[in-house]
Amino acid sequence: MRVIAKRTLREFWESEPKYADSRSPLEAWHDEAIHADWKTPQEIKAQYRSASILKNNRVVFNIAGNKYRLIVAMDYQRQACFVKFVGTHQQYDAIDAEEYDGYSTHKN
């Protein structure tokens, strides 16, 4: 699976010292994702039981023991996932996860 883009994840953990603890879990998720061969949402759920499957081929992953949220848009046919959001629970609660088309709201 191609992840577009790891840079977005890196920018989040580097944006503020208080987000530095997200680096290792985000890197672990990235490493697992690039080696995955997900063809359906059910295959993601089999690997990540706490993942939430949303409309518009969106998937929400809980990161760092559910401290952070990661939203990706999946393209199963092209074997790609597009990072749409990475942030805290508070930031996640302020967006529409099924429609949000930015990258991150880590401005708080």
Side-chain angles (χ1 to χ4, degrees), residues 52-59 72-73 84 97-100:
S52 298
I53 307 300
L54 307 178
K55 293 188 291 189
N56 297 329
N57 288 320
R58 299 286 176 105
V59 181
V72 299
K84 296 296 184 180
E98 293 177 342
E99 299 296 329
Y100 188 79

Side-chain angles (χ1 to χ4, degrees), residues 11-71:
E11 286 173 354
F12 177 73
W13 75 61
E14 291 177 348
S15 67
E16 292 189 36
K18 66 183 177 181
Y19 301 144
D21 65 335
S22 69
R23 180 179 182 165
S24 181
L26 285 169
E27 286 183 325
W29 175 88
H30 182 268
D31 187 58
E32 290 175 9
I34 63 173
H35 291 98
D37 186 27
W38 299 316
K39 292 181 176 51
T40 66
Q42 294 77 17
E43 290 180 1
I44 293 173
K45 284 292 281 185
Q47 184 172 352
Y48 291 96
R49 303 183 119 240
S50 66
S52 298
I53 307 300
L54 307 178
K55 293 188 291 189
N56 297 329
N57 288 320
R58 299 286 176 105
V59 181
V60 180
F61 293 94
N62 297 317
I63 303 294
N66 210 17
K67 184 174 181 181
Y68 302 103
R69 291 284 179 100
L70 170 65
I71 302 172

